[in-house]
Amino acid sequence: MISGVVESMVSGDGTAIGCEVTGSGPALVVVHGTLRAARHYRAMAAALADDFTVYTMDRRGRGASGPQGAGYDIDTECDDLAAVLAHTGATMVFGHSFGGLVGLELARRRATPITRLAVYEPAVSIGGAYSGSWLPELDSAVADDRIEDGVISVMRGLELLGPFTQLPTRLQRAMAKVIMRRDVMDDMRALLPTVHAEVVTAIGLDSDGDRYADVTVDTLLITGERGPSYLRGVAEVLDRVMPRSAHRVLPRCAHNAPELDAPETIAAELRRYFTG
């Protein structure tokens, strides 16, 4: 069994794309979400390692991969994922949040190498579900190295604070300082600069959902009972327009279930789907 190996491959524009590799069996590529990197999904990958060789990508701007670059857009992300699939021979993909958007966008291309796709609360904007009004606040926090404020800005902007949304900003900031140890602070300092371009990309793909009628591969749409309600609404629309999809709502799961709250639960769901 492979464990803890980092492989590097080259995307179409020459940018290096790194993957953490673990497990044995058919190849499964994991595409992470915003403010995340491959290392955050190690628990989920370990839970899948007996059944799959799991290739967890570092998307551009983090880990073993190159920078986002000036020409960054959804085509860049799709080219990176396609390069990983070509290198690994994988045809199965799991995407979380923004990674789910990337998986869906590659799957809707006619020459897609994906034959089976699972996405958890994909960052798809339907009917203006995403807003960029908070991005100047994020940019200011990044420029001033106010890491807690930057993270709070992202969490508020993407409606990920759940019951803590109504708390005053000073209490949200105090909570962030308690939660974010030094290593987490360093993590967020490195990842926050990647958020702006990803949010702008998601907003630029806003539609009524019909663009995803072109996704004809088998697709499992997963949402969490405790995730943002607008993302459940997005999954419901996708399930209506995509010809070969199914939608599962997982009890007691929030948006960060795959890499933080419930990695084994998500792994069990993926195992059933990809082996079935």
Side-chain angles (χ1 to χ4, degrees), residues 68 80 100 243 259 276:
Q68 282 181 330
D80 294 348
E259 86 291 10

Side-chain angles (χ1 to χ4, degrees), residues 22 41-50 54 271:
T22 189
Y41 294 76
R42 287 171 182 165
M44 189 188 76
L48 290 164
D50 287 342
V54 183
R271 184 180 299 105

Side-chain angles (χ1 to χ4, degrees), residues 104-126:
L104 286 165
E105 285 292 326
L106 182 59
R108 63 184 291 271
R109 299 184 176 192
R110 288 185 179 180
T112 181
I114 300 173
T115 60
R116 185 163 277 204
L117 173 67
V119 293
Y120 187 89
E121 299 196 344
V124 174
S125 185
I126 292 179

Side-chain angles (χ1 to χ4, degrees), residues 14 42 46 65 82 104-105 147 161 172 181 195 217 247 255 263:
R42 287 171 182 165
S65 296
L104 286 165
E105 285 292 326
I147 306 306
L161 282 173
Q172 292 175 354
R181 307 178 308 272
V195 174
V217 303
H247 180 201
H255 185 67

Side-chain angles (χ1 to χ4, degrees), residues 32-272:
H32 63 73
T34 294
L35 269 187
R36 288 293 180 258
R39 60 186 175 276
H40 296 113
Y41 294 76
R42 287 171 182 165
M44 189 188 76
L48 290 164
D50 287 342
D51 299 283
F52 304 95
T53 303
V54 183
Y55 294 85
T56 309
M57 290 178 62
D58 267 323
R59 291 196 295 104
R60 292 182 179 226
R62 62 268 284 169
S65 296
Q68 282 181 330
Y72 173 87
D73 58 13
I74 194 62
D75 290 334
T76 308
E77 291 277 7
C78 287
D79 289 348
D80 294 348
L81 176 54
V84 173
L85 295 175
H87 178 88
T88 62
T91 60
M92 298 183 295
V93 173
F94 169 64
H96 175 209
S97 193
F98 192 89
L101 171 63
V102 176
L104 286 165
E105 285 292 326
L106 182 59
R108 63 184 291 271
R109 299 184 176 192
R110 288 185 179 180
T112 181
I114 300 173
T115 60
R116 185 163 277 204
L117 173 67
V119 293
Y120 187 89
E121 299 196 344
V124 174
S125 185
I126 292 179
Y130 276 83
S131 166
S133 61
W134 52 277
L135 288 177
E137 176 185 302
L138 168 66
D139 294 341
S140 175
V142 170
D144 296 339
D145 199 37
R146 291 181 285 109
I147 306 306
E148 297 97 337
D149 289 346
V151 172
I152 289 169
S153 177
V154 174
M155 300 295 281
R156 280 200 303 234
L158 299 180
E159 299 180 26
L160 301 178
L161 282 173
F164 302 109
T165 302
Q166 303 305 319
L167 289 177
T169 300
R170 61 183 177 81
L171 292 181
Q172 292 175 354
R173 187 180 294 115
M175 287 176 55
K177 286 183 177 179
V178 170
I179 294 169
M180 292 171 63
R181 307 178 308 272
R182 180 180 297 275
D183 57 333
V184 178
M185 286 282 285
D186 291 341
D187 222 10
M188 293 300 100
R189 181 174 285 109
L191 294 173
L192 276 171
T194 66
V195 174
H196 183 116
E198 292 176 6
V199 172
V200 169
T201 297
I203 292 171
L205 295 170
D206 183 78
S207 71
D208 61 2
D210 282 349
R211 70 184 279 116
Y212 298 102
D214 294 337
V215 178
T216 58
V217 303
D218 289 335
T219 304
L220 177 62
L221 303 159
I222 313 171
T223 54
E225 179 185 44
R226 297 177 180 172
S229 59
Y230 74 92
L231 289 180
R232 283 196 299 278
V234 163
E236 290 165 1
V237 172
L238 293 176
D239 193 31
R240 287 198 297 271
V241 303
M242 290 166 53
R244 297 173 65 182
S245 65
H247 180 201
R248 288 268 292 141
V249 181
L250 299 186
R252 299 179 299 279
C253 285
H255 185 67
N256 294 105
E259 86 291 10
L260 187 62
D261 301 325
E264 293 185 357
T265 297
I266 304 304
E269 196 68 27
L270 296 180
R271 184 180 299 105
R272 281 191 291 270

